[in-house]
Amino acid sequence: MALLAIETSCDECSAAVVSAGTANDQVKVHSNAIFTQIDLHRAFGGIVPEIASRSHLDMFNPVINEALAKAGIQFSDLEAIAVTQGPGLIGALLVGLSAAKAMAYSLDIPLISVDHLDGHLHSLFIESQKNCRITSANLPLLVCLVSGGHTNLYLLKSLPPGAVRFEKLSDSRDDAAGEAFDKSAKIMGLPYPGGVHIDRISTSGNPKAYVFPKPMPGKNLEFSFSGFKTAVLNKVKELGYEPYVFGAVHPEKLPQGQILADLCASIQHAIVGTLVKKIELAIEMTGAKGLAIVGGVSANSELRKTLNERVKIPVFSPDPVYCTDNAAMIGASGWFKYKRGEILSNKELLSLNAYSS
Ligand code: KG4
Ligand code: ZN
């Protein structure tokens, strides 16, 4: 028996089958099917909500079927369904939510609603990952959730399967770290989402070639990245290039070669530097005995490397496939909720609605 998890909050249509892990604070993933819409949105330089919703409608059934087939089970083997309720794009969320309601109702099995951020945080409890075995010796655990929409710090004081509370310490006043990566990449004409391209191109660049601001330098845990893109825009102009403008294709006017690599490395160095500084401050303030990074930006190679070099406590990070959006993490959060009885009855589930923020 197993739980089917569904994630459609943004531009990944994903379904996973999970069940109890070998240890009672972990979850086993049997399948994790992901259809990414990145290619559909690329021409627009960002996510188009209408396109996202329509693509979820097209891909939902194939993705569910793939998840069940890879796990070697059928609908009749399911004991519960977990689905992302929010935050995210409303039209996209409603595709997964409506389908999950219909399936749970018709199969007469419980539905569990999962918060997307809680899903990212629970990616830490998926078993058999390379660098992600958290034990009570690592508590309190400082967790940094860095994604396209969030830059949050949390403190975790207990492990599942009991009710866990990620106590929020801080967030970003405006843009998230992932947005700083993506908007900087867009200015330089790199494809959406730009974080992974900046990461890749940075390997041949000089991180000290250009100086970019490290926002909110004070002794507080808040982040702010909204001014960062303006600094990148100004630097690109100052170097004599024309920043990418939607619709205008002038590749020869965009930074290329070594200058592009130096810009990428310097941008990444500044964003990672800001994250690491706040994380170090939070460790000092909380006395954390372990650090975990989750969310799309936690896949960044310089962030992982710098933390491993600088932080004196154990550093945990999910496997890359569980960093960016996926249904397995929704299944991890949903599984423990299910086991704690935090489920919606057939009567309650019909009135469940999505939330955007
Ligand atoms: O968690 P996620 O898939 O979606 C949200 O919930 O936002 O995170 C997506 C974000 C994007 O901003 C993307 O550019 C960033 O994660 N990202 C990276 C890397 N891989 C993904 N940023 C920097 N370096 C990477 N390797
Ligand atoms: Zn996410």
Side-chain angles (χ1 to χ4, degrees):
M1 295 296 267
L3 175 146
L4 175 70
I6 294 161
E7 155 66 35
T8 65
S9 69
C10 196
D11 59 344
E12 262 85 37
C13 187
S14 180
V17 173
V18 306
S19 70
T22 313
N24 72 348
D25 60 350
Q26 298 224 296
V27 169
K28 182 179 171 70
V29 175
H30 298 267
S31 63
N32 184 32
I34 304 172
F35 173 78
T36 179
Q37 305 176 354
I38 285 174
D39 287 346
L40 303 178
H41 299 287
R42 186 161 285 145
F44 304 94
I47 296 167
V48 183
E50 176 75 14
I51 293 176
S53 310
R54 287 174 186 270
S55 171
H56 282 304
L57 276 175
D58 287 341
M59 294 312 296
F60 191 81
N61 284 343
V63 165
I64 296 282
N65 289 337
E66 184 186 330
L68 293 177
K70 279 194 178 150
I73 63 165
Q74 299 176 340
F75 279 110
S76 55
D77 297 319
L78 294 174
E79 56 187 307
I81 294 178
V83 62
T84 308
Q85 189 185 359
L89 302 170
I90 284 295
L93 285 161
L94 284 173
V95 175
L97 197 61
S98 307
K101 283 182 188 186
M103 288 193 286
Y105 193 86
S106 59
L107 293 167
D108 197 19
I109 55 176
L111 184 70
I112 296 110
S113 69
V114 174
D115 181 274
H116 182 78
L117 301 186
D118 209 51
H120 275 299
L121 295 168
H122 278 79
S123 61
L124 296 172
F125 305 119
I126 293 172
E127 76 175 18
S128 304
Q129 298 196 73
K130 212 169 145 215
N131 180 33
C132 213
R133 186 66 182 106
I134 294 152
T135 69
S136 53
N138 309 120
L139 301 176
L141 181 82
L142 181 73
V143 187
C144 181
L145 191 167
V146 258
S147 68
H150 296 87
T151 317
N152 300 354
L153 288 173
Y154 300 85
L155 198 63
L156 178 73
K157 293 183 177 157
S158 66
L159 298 176
V164 290
R165 199 167 76 84
F166 288 91
E167 183 193 325
K168 191 161 151 193
L169 303 176
S170 68
D171 56 14
S172 172
R173 288 188 173 184
D174 37 60
D175 286 3
E179 262 174 295
F181 270 110
D182 295 344
K183 287 177 180 169
S184 301
K186 188 171 177 178
I187 289 167
M188 297 184 292
L190 297 174
Y192 177 85
V196 71
H197 299 287
I198 291 187
D199 192 350
R200 179 178 44 82
I201 298 168
S202 292
T203 50
S204 48
N206 173 8
K208 302 219 167 98
Y210 307 106
V211 177
F212 288 105
K214 294 202 177 107
M216 305 283 284
K219 283 229 164 222
N220 70 69
L221 297 179
E222 271 185 312
F223 299 91
S224 167
F225 286 105
S226 67
F228 196 84
K229 56 185 178 291
T230 314
V232 173
L233 188 76
N234 289 342
K235 180 57 72 183
V236 168
K237 283 186 186 163
E238 190 189 306
L239 291 170
Y241 297 103
E242 265 184 33
Y244 172 80
V245 183
F246 178 69
V249 186
H250 298 299
E252 71 285 359
K253 292 182 182 167
L254 292 165
Q256 283 167 45
Q258 194 56 44
I259 290 186
L260 176 65
D262 287 348
L263 278 168
C264 286
S266 304
I267 288 165
Q268 178 168 276
H269 185 65
I271 299 173
V272 167
T274 301
L275 293 170
V276 172
K277 213 163 161 230
K278 296 281 174 180
I279 287 171
E280 286 180 323
L281 181 62
I283 293 172
E284 193 187 308
M285 286 167 73
T286 59
K289 296 203 177 73
L291 166 71
I293 47 170
V294 300
V297 181
S298 71
N300 184 266
S301 56
E302 187 179 329
L303 179 63
R304 288 178 176 224
K305 187 169 160 269
T306 313
L307 287 173
N308 279 312
E309 282 167 5
R310 296 241 306 246
V311 170
K312 304 277 180 292
I313 53 178
V315 183
F316 303 97
S317 48
D319 289 353
V321 68
Y322 301 128
C323 289
T324 43
D325 288 349
N326 66 90
M329 67 184 195
I330 303 302
S333 171
W335 178 260
F336 293 120
K337 283 182 102 174
Y338 169 55
K339 287 291 153 186
R340 293 195 297 264
E342 296 168 32
I343 59 177
L344 297 158
S345 66
N346 258 356
K347 212 167 158 195
E348 290 165 325
L349 72 83
L350 291 178
S351 55
L352 189 71
N353 211 339
Y355 53 85
S356 59
S357 57

